[in-house]
């Protein structure tokens, strides 16, 4: 089965399969979840550990807030997908970050726990637009500033979340110390072409006739034809099989099955991940394929890009090129040599040290360290 990722069609494929299977009972995992929950408890008197819903953009949306010290800089993490929340797998990598940052994970409209709050889901069908997500992100940031007494936040986007996050930073730079793009999307058509070419190259190198036949069936890709759901499924399947989602792996089981062990998600929440994918992706695809930040030549706040050397889901070459030409108060590119698209999960240590070296000083008033 094709797996979930920023690749919109791959997400759709997983969603269709999950919808057909129904919502399985994972109660046998509960003893393991209890251990993880205990390990993750914030016990420091200065800390914060909260999970709650609040009214954002006219609907109830879920926030998860964790950190060892409320006085630390606050990160607003904008997840990928769309509709692929980080909360159910944050236990895999986030704990060390919480010693230096208060980290907020937000289940966006149509995603995870927020999807389950929206009854019926069709009531928000007309709101599934990029600008609505951007407006939500800005409203979340304003809410967090007020509730936690923060002048500004650090805005971090991953994958699809970089589209939302980058737009939010451009529209309301006053809310943020800095913007961090992880697996940044700059131009979707460029991404599709680079990813596809990598898939063809790897299929030839491995003499994979099945892959070559499938990839040839949509050539030239993307070409001048529309990027449809059917074409993108084939285009993304093989680059991800050859390590373009998680480096050196042909699958990312740790991520897809990780929610089973999450103490923050019950069975209905876990099933809502795929249901939210299915609900959101077809509605957002026409806007998604037209995303293009190449015309942004000035960025109003410090910008840091985390780039996976092996990322062929949102390839890093366009991000590197964009970063070279953009004018910003501060800019930094950080290469993750052993990662593809899933950098926080693949190289959690480097994720933390890079945030400490290049980003935290921007929020604390210290001079950011240069390489």
């Amino acid at each position: 089965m094709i797996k979930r990722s920023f690749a919109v069609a791959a997400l759709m494929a997983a969603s269709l399969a999950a919808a057909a299977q129904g919502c399985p009972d994972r109660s046998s995992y509960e003893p393991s979840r209890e251990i993880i929950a205990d390990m993750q408890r914030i016990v420091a008197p200065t800390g914060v550990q909260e999970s709650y819903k609040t009214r954002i953009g006219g609907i109830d949306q879920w926030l998860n807030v964790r950190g060892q010290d409320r006085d630390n800089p606050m990160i607003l993490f904008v997840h990928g997908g769309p509709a692929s929340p980080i909360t159910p797998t944050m236990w895999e990598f986030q704990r060390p970050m919480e010693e230096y940052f208060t980290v907020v994970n937000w289940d966006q409209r149509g995603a995870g726990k927020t999807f389950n709050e929206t009854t019926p889901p069709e009531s928000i069908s007309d709101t599934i637009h990029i600008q609505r997500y951007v407006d939500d992100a800005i409203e979340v940031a304003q809410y967090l500033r007020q509730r936690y007494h923060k002048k500004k936040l650090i805005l971090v986007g991953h994958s699809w979340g970089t589209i939302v996050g980058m737009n939010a930073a451009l529209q309301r730079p006053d809310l943020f110390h800095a913007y961090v793009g992880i697996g940044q999307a700059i131009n979707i058509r460029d991404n599709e072409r680079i990813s596809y070419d990598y898939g063809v190259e790897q299929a030839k190198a491995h003499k994979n006739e099945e892959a070559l036949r499938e990839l040839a069936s949509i050539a030239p890709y993307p070409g001048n034809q529309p990027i449809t759901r059917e074409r993108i499924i084939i285009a993304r399947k093989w680059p991800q099989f050859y390590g373009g989602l998680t480096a050196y792996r042909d699958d990312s089981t740790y991520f897809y099955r990780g929610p089973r062990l999450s103490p923050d998600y019950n069975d209905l929440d876990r099933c809502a991940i795929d249901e939210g994918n299915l609900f959101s992706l077809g509605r957002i695809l026409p806007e998604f394929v037209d995303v293009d930040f190449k015309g942004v030549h000035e960025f109003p706040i410090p910008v840091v890009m985390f780039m996976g050397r092996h990322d062929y889901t949102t390839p890093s070459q366009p991000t590197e090129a964009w970063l070279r030409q953009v004018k910003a108060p501060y800019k930094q590119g950080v290469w993750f040599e052993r990662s593809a698209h899933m950098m926080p999960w693949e190289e959690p240590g480097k994720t933390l040290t890079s945030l400490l070296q290049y980003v935290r000083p921007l929020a604390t008033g210290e001079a950011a360290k240069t390489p």
Side-chain angles (χ1 to χ4, degrees), residues 18-97:
Q21 294 169 1
C23 188
D25 179 2
R26 303 294 185 193
S27 57
S28 61
Y29 288 83
E30 192 56 34
S32 299
R33 293 182 200 130
E34 290 174 357
I35 294 170
I36 293 172
D38 186 54
M39 177 186 70
Q40 290 212 125
R41 277 195 304 132
I42 302 290
V43 296
T46 57
V48 55
Q49 179 179 354
E50 299 178 332
S51 179
Y52 56 89
K53 60 186 177 182
T54 190
R55 203 74 175 170
I56 299 293
I59 64 172
D60 287 341
Q61 302 197 39
W62 274 87
L63 301 176
N64 184 289
V65 184
R66 295 179 51 86
Q68 294 284 346
D69 189 339
R70 287 175 174 265
D71 290 336
N72 277 334
M74 176 172 277
I75 289 175
L76 170 57
F77 210 134
V78 185
H79 67 67
S84 184
I86 288 174
T87 303
T89 55
M90 67 183 183
W91 64 270
E92 296 181 340
F93 69 87
Q94 184 176 289
R95 184 67 175 77
M97 292 170 57

Side-chain angles (χ1 to χ4, degrees), residues 6-291:
F6 179 77
V8 170
L11 272 162
M12 180 67 76
S15 300
L16 290 170
Q21 294 169 1
C23 188
D25 179 2
R26 303 294 185 193
S27 57
S28 61
Y29 288 83
E30 192 56 34
S32 299
R33 293 182 200 130
E34 290 174 357
I35 294 170
I36 293 172
D38 186 54
M39 177 186 70
Q40 290 212 125
R41 277 195 304 132
I42 302 290
V43 296
T46 57
V48 55
Q49 179 179 354
E50 299 178 332
S51 179
Y52 56 89
K53 60 186 177 182
T54 190
R55 203 74 175 170
I56 299 293
I59 64 172
D60 287 341
Q61 302 197 39
W62 274 87
L63 301 176
N64 184 289
V65 184
R66 295 179 51 86
Q68 294 284 346
D69 189 339
R70 287 175 174 265
D71 290 336
N72 277 334
M74 176 172 277
I75 289 175
L76 170 57
F77 210 134
V78 185
H79 67 67
S84 184
I86 288 174
T87 303
T89 55
M90 67 183 183
W91 64 270
E92 296 181 340
F93 69 87
Q94 184 176 289
R95 184 67 175 77
M97 292 170 57
E98 296 163 7
E99 298 176 27
Y100 302 94
F101 303 90
T102 298
V103 185
V104 180
N105 280 294
W106 156 48
D107 285 17
Q108 301 163 24
R109 67 177 55 227
K113 293 170 79 74
T114 296
F115 178 82
N116 274 343
E117 288 294 330
T118 311
T119 306
E122 290 72 21
S123 64
I124 63 166
S125 290
D126 293 341
T127 74
I128 304 299
H129 297 287
I130 290 174
Q131 187 57 52
R132 179 66 263 178
Y133 285 96
V134 175
D135 292 342
D136 285 353
I138 290 170
E139 190 172 341
V140 169
Q142 292 173 315
Y143 171 82
L144 293 171
R145 288 171 70 212
Q146 180 177 6
R147 176 167 176 145
Y148 297 99
H149 309 292
K150 300 294 183 181
K151 184 178 179 181
K152 294 183 180 182
L153 311 179
I154 297 166
L155 183 61
V156 178
H158 177 236
S159 199
W160 149 263
T162 67
I163 298 171
V164 178
M166 200 161 178
N167 275 304
L170 288 167
Q171 292 177 32
R172 287 297 307 272
D174 58 299
L175 299 177
F176 308 110
H177 293 292
Y179 169 70
V180 182
I182 303 177
Q184 178 70 45
I186 297 294
N187 178 283
I188 297 304
R189 296 190 73 86
D190 287 349
N191 284 354
E192 293 302 309
R193 173 180 51 79
I194 295 168
S195 178
Y196 175 84
D197 290 348
Y198 171 77
V200 172
E201 172 191 314
Q202 291 299 309
K204 288 180 178 177
H206 290 85
K207 296 181 172 56
N208 188 331
E209 296 301 326
E210 177 189 0
L212 289 171
R213 283 195 302 272
E214 289 190 3
L215 291 165
S217 72
I218 59 170
Y221 183 82
N224 296 320
Q225 302 176 49
I227 302 176
T228 63
R229 187 177 70 200
E230 292 74 22
R231 297 182 81 213
I232 203 171
I233 286 175
I234 296 172
R236 289 299 186 87
K237 174 182 176 180
W238 294 107
Q240 291 183 6
F241 178 80
Y242 287 113
L245 181 61
T246 300
Y248 317 116
R249 291 177 180 241
D250 60 11
D251 61 32
S252 299
T253 302
Y254 67 91
F255 178 68
Y256 302 119
R257 295 186 180 177
R260 299 181 185 185
L261 292 174
S262 172
D264 298 290
Y265 265 44
N266 60 32
D267 284 342
L268 290 178
D269 296 331
R270 282 181 282 277
C271 290
I273 300 172
D274 286 321
E275 292 170 8
N277 294 156
L278 181 62
F279 173 79
S280 303
L281 292 171
R283 292 170 171 83
I284 206 70
L285 182 58
E287 295 179 26
F288 165 77
V289 298
D290 287 335
V291 166

